[in-house]
């Protein structure tokens, strides 16, 4: 349980939930045992761009609801995050309002077999294969990862230029509450004048919301 507002507590709780996030106020770590997962021999990376944010949400639901595909990560970028991406890569489709970046363990598959399922699924979400990037080699895959990490770097740069403290949320919720959280964010920003950027681990129902305030008020 992620919690930065105080200690998490409830009846019958697992004590590990109390110690997670307590940041040294209840204990210190003196030793750790780690289990490492072997890196897949082959990883397929894709960037899929959408004309509507809702299409990206629905696509991520499809991916999360398709176990056995070897999907390793699913990342989401809202309209404003895509706007920041466009500054880094002019080749992004101009009508893009959202994007999904994902990685799949494609070990043991040919490139054609790995891509085939995505070719059949992606067009069902009001986008096209022309609006999809596939990393065809390790160099492309690295450039995709660098583009993904350009978002928090760009947000931090905007915050530094503004001279204000960063104001953001970092929330993970249960799967059955995720759409409710998305709707809350979307509707709240529609009725406010706050600039914002939403991105993060949509595959784990975990998003980062950054508010880019322009004045102290």
């Amino acid at each position: 349980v992620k919690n930065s507002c105080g200690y998490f507590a409830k009846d019958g709780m697992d004590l590990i939930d109390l110690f997670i996030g307590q940041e040294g106020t209840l204990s210190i770590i003196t030793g750790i045992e780690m289990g490492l997962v072997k890196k897949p021999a082959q990883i397929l990376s894709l960037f899929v761009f959408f004309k509507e944010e809702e299409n990206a949400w629905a696509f991520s639901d499809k991916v999360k609801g398709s176990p056995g595909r070897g999907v390793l990560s699913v990342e989401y970028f809202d309209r404003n995050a895509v706007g920041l991406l466009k500054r880094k890569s002019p080749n992004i489709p101009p009508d893009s309002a959202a994007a999904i970046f994902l990685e799949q363990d494609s070990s043991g598959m040919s490139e054609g077999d790995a891509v085939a399922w995505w070719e059949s699924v992606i067009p069902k979400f009001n986008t096209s294969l022309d609006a999809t990037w596939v990393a065809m080699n390790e160099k492309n895959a690295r450039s995709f990862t660098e583009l993904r990490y350009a978002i928090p770097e760009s947000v931090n740069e905007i915050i530094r230029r503004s001279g204000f403290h960063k104001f953001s949320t970092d929330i993970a919720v249960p799967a059955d509450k995720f759409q409710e959280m998305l709707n809350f964010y979307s509707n709240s920003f529609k009725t406010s004048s706050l600039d914002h950027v939403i991105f993060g681990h949509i595959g784990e129902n975990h998003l980062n919301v950054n508010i880019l305030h322009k004045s102290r008020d």
Side-chain angles (χ1 to χ4, degrees), residues 27 34 77 79 85 88 95 103 106 140 211 213:
S27 65
M34 298 180 65
F77 307 91
R79 182 185 302 273
L85 289 178
K88 303 290 184 179
D95 58 351
E103 294 175 308
S106 58
N140 290 153
I211 296 176
H213 36 288

Side-chain angles (χ1 to χ4, degrees), residues 105-136:
D105 180 357
S106 58
S107 304
M109 291 186 258
S110 68
E111 187 175 277
D113 290 340
V115 172
W117 189 75
W118 300 109
E119 289 179 335
S120 68
V121 170
I122 288 171
K124 297 178 181 178
F125 295 89
N126 195 31
T127 188
S128 69
L129 298 178
D130 290 337
T132 301
W133 297 352
V134 180
M136 306 305 290

